[in-house]
Amino acid sequence: MSKTITIDGKTIPFEDGQTIMEAATAADVYIPHLCHHPEFTPHGSCKLCTVKVNGRNCSACTFPAAEGQDVLNNTQELIDDRRKITQMLFVEGNHFCPSCEKTGNCQLQAVAYHLNMLDDHFPLFYPNREMDASHPDVLIDHNRCIFCALCVRASQQHDGKNVFAISGRGINKHLIFNAESGQLKDTDLDKNDKAAHICPTGAILIKRTGYQVPIGQRIYDHHEIDEVSLATTEHQHGE
Amino acid sequence: MANKIRVATTSLAGCFGCHMSFLDLDERLVQLAELVEFDRSPITDIEHCTDCDIGLIEGGVCNSENVHTLREFRKNCKILVAVGACAINGGLPAMRNFIPLEECLSEAYLDGIGVENPQIPSDVELPLLLDKVRPIHEVVKIDYYLPGCPPSADVFWKFLTDLLAGREPELDYELVHYD
């Protein structure tokens, strides 16, 4: 007999060492997430995957599954919490979807759609953030970075490089590049690197590819992120 | 006429794109006109609103006149609705928020290419610009939000028919877009 947990009353098997997120995904149960990616060590920063485990809030992407856990995922309370978290992500950056190349392929936007987020609720920060267009093939727009650190992890753990890091705190937190000049063009990032394609938002874009698929025909224009997330093993949306 | 639902609309710092999208209701406008009458709106040219049931606000808040208009709508409308990306998060006009206002005005009226007789407009009739463009929920309480740039005619239709039928308005997945 394999060990099991329950998620919203449904019995889910797991193997030792699996997180709640991994067990859920294997059983086709979607838990909203942005900073989680099955290939990389969990980061636990976006908090969208917050679930209630035996009455306490935990991040499903970092919390190990254990025999008999009673996990709540799709409750109105958790959905409301996740919507608020998503609203916070929107107001602390500059997310102007109509002028973003990633619109329709953006996981931040798709999670917001999934949670039926219709407004930002909070006052907007409008932080002053820069762009880095120095690299011949890759554009960085710091306005849209949510500090999920997926590019940091992909560069280190998949590409065998160390192009990205997160620096600073609070409103001054930002993505930095591993080069004396601080510019992306002076790093060893290549447009074919996993790190250049893993951004869940429009913060890292491949130049000259943005409108190959017209708005209205993009992934999340017609498919919810839960469906896409469970159907794709290769989590690489957006091209 | 007396028992029709009264609707007012306006565009603040917007492009009238949401109003154009509203007009995309096409023949459904005839159906709508049987149920509602328009008060203050670019459609009627009525300049101030009086007791209304629904107020539709396009655009964010970029100047002092926008603030007065928005407050007038809030005071006179039972239900106030933020329509479109600009009303909800400032939208395209808010992209000036990252450039100091003085620089914006200088570029447009003093130093820009092709500017003749450079001067910053200062007629007393002109509303003063705010230092930043803000979404409308930061100024008054908003009851409902219709995202989109613009929201499609189907969004207006679903929202208004829900409301007119006494249902809590709900937008299906395909109707919710931020672009």
Side-chain angles (χ1 to χ4, degrees), chain A residues 35 42-48 59 61-62 146-149 153 173:
Chain A
C35 75
H43 196 242
S45 62
C46 78
K47 298 297 167 201
L48 267 172
S59 300
C61 73
T62 55
I146 57 167
F147 315 114
C148 68
R153 285 175 281 163
K173 184 152 75 172

Side-chain angles (χ1 to χ4, degrees), chain A:
Chain A
M1 272 304 276
S2 62
K3 298 179 179 178
T4 60
I5 59 174
T6 62
I7 300 182
D8 295 332
K10 188 179 161 194
T11 304
I12 308 283
F14 73 94
E15 289 161 22
D16 281 334
Q18 273 190 323
T19 60
I20 291 173
M21 177 70 83
E22 285 164 340
T25 308
D28 274 351
V29 172
Y30 174 71
I31 302 175
H33 57 267
L34 285 170
C35 75
H36 164 75
H37 188 291
E39 282 179 46
F40 305 117
T41 44
H43 196 242
S45 62
C46 78
K47 298 297 167 201
L48 267 172
C49 71
T50 300
V51 289
K52 210 157 241 191
V53 183
N54 297 339
R56 303 175 74 149
N57 283 350
C58 302
S59 300
C61 73
T62 55
F63 206 75
E67 179 64 34
Q69 276 169 345
D70 177 24
V71 180
L72 296 179
N73 173 34
N74 247 328
T75 67
Q76 195 55 51
E77 184 187 346
L78 284 168
I79 292 168
D80 290 345
D81 286 348
R82 289 169 184 157
R83 192 183 306 110
K84 283 279 177 290
I85 290 166
T86 312
Q87 286 167 327
M88 288 186 218
L89 288 173
F90 268 81
V91 302
E92 76 167 15
N94 296 304
H95 299 279
F96 297 107
C97 301
S99 61
C100 179
E101 286 184 22
K102 197 67 173 275
T103 189
N105 286 333
C106 170
Q107 292 177 45
L108 175 64
Q109 189 188 56
V111 160
Y113 289 170
H114 177 72
L115 298 166
N116 200 234
M117 181 186 122
L118 302 181
D119 70 311
D120 286 331
H121 181 81
F122 299 104
L124 277 87
F125 284 31
Y126 297 122
N128 227 333
R129 298 205 196 152
E130 306 273 300
M131 288 174 68
D132 183 319
S134 65
H135 193 283
D137 300 311
V138 182
L139 174 84
I140 307 283
D141 189 340
H142 292 283
N143 289 292
R144 302 166 186 155
C145 181
I146 57 167
F147 315 114
C148 68
L150 272 172
C151 59
V152 178
R153 285 175 281 163
S155 185
Q156 290 168 355
Q157 296 171 28
H158 182 275
D159 303 331
K161 299 180 183 179
N162 189 20
V163 175
F164 299 102
I166 307 283
S167 174
R169 286 177 184 278
I171 196 73
N172 297 314
K173 184 152 75 172
H174 61 293
L175 189 65
I176 54 170
F177 316 128
N178 192 358
E180 197 75 38
S181 66
Q183 288 191 303
L184 195 67
K185 72 175 165 68
D186 297 323
T187 68
D188 53 356
L189 181 77
D190 182 85
K191 71 169 174 186
N192 297 315
D193 287 353
K194 184 112 183 166
H197 296 262
I198 204 157
C199 183
T201 77
I204 304 179
L205 297 169
I206 307 298
K207 291 182 179 179
R208 298 173 293 278
T209 61
Y211 292 97
Q212 284 173 356
V213 179
I215 292 170
Q217 296 175 23
R218 298 180 174 191
I219 303 169
Y220 304 113
D221 286 337
H222 305 290
H223 299 282
E224 283 207 44
I225 193 166
D226 54 344
E227 178 195 334
V228 176
S229 178
L230 293 172
T232 358
T233 45
E234 179 66 8
H235 285 241
Q236 195 167 297
H237 315 312
E239 272 107 55

Side-chain angles (χ1 to χ4, degrees), chain B residues 2 10 12 16 26 30 33 55-56 67 76 109 117 151 153 159 161 172-173:
Chain B
T10 191
L12 307 176
F16 280 90
D26 295 334
V30 180
L56 303 174
V67 178
N76 289 286
Y109 296 109
N117 186 19
F159 175 77
T161 50
D172 298 335
Y173 184 82

Side-chain angles (χ1 to χ4, degrees), chain B:
Chain B
M1 290 291 278
N3 51 12
K4 280 190 175 181
I5 297 289
R6 294 170 59 81
V7 179
T9 79
T10 191
S11 179
L12 307 176
C15 70
F16 280 90
C18 295
H19 276 79
M20 298 306 289
S21 185
F22 180 81
L23 294 178
D24 281 341
L25 284 170
D26 295 334
E27 68 270 25
R28 287 179 288 186
L29 283 168
V30 180
Q31 245 174 296
L32 191 65
E34 285 167 11
L35 301 167
V36 309
E37 64 175 325
F38 286 93
D39 190 75
R40 174 176 175 166
S41 168
I43 297 165
T44 57
D45 249 359
I46 296 171
E47 283 185 15
H48 291 283
C49 52
T50 46
D51 291 346
C52 284
D53 298 292
I54 304 169
L56 303 174
I57 310 281
E58 167 188 343
V61 177
C62 80
N63 64 31
S64 55
E65 188 203 17
N66 292 159
V67 178
H68 290 300
T69 305
L70 185 55
R71 286 183 175 153
E72 179 184 309
F73 268 73
R74 180 67 278 181
K75 206 174 152 194
N76 289 286
C77 300
K78 286 184 195 135
I79 294 169
L80 203 58
V81 188
V83 177
C86 304
I88 291 171
N89 69 12
L92 191 81
M95 293 180 99
R96 82 152 154 92
N97 289 354
F98 315 109
I99 304 162
L101 190 53
E102 200 175 337
E103 261 179 59
C104 291
L105 289 168
S106 301
E107 178 66 24
Y109 296 109
L110 300 179
D111 311 323
I113 295 164
V115 172
E116 285 177 28
N117 186 19
Q119 55 177 316
I120 292 180
S122 61
D123 193 290
V124 290
E125 291 277 319
L126 291 172
L128 289 172
L129 293 174
L130 306 182
D131 69 329
K132 281 194 162 71
V133 179
R134 314 291 324 188
I136 62 174
H137 75 271
E138 293 186 17
V139 181
V140 297
K141 182 186 182 296
I142 300 299
D143 302 298
Y144 293 102
Y145 297 83
L146 304 180
C149 185
S152 65
D154 287 341
V155 172
F156 285 104
W157 184 250
K158 179 70 168 63
F159 175 77
L160 288 171
T161 50
D162 275 356
L163 214 53
L164 291 169
R167 290 188 296 265
E168 186 61 24
E170 272 182 32
L171 297 178
D172 298 335
Y173 184 82
E174 294 266 338
L175 290 181
V176 178
H177 278 281
Y178 300 161
D179 54 18

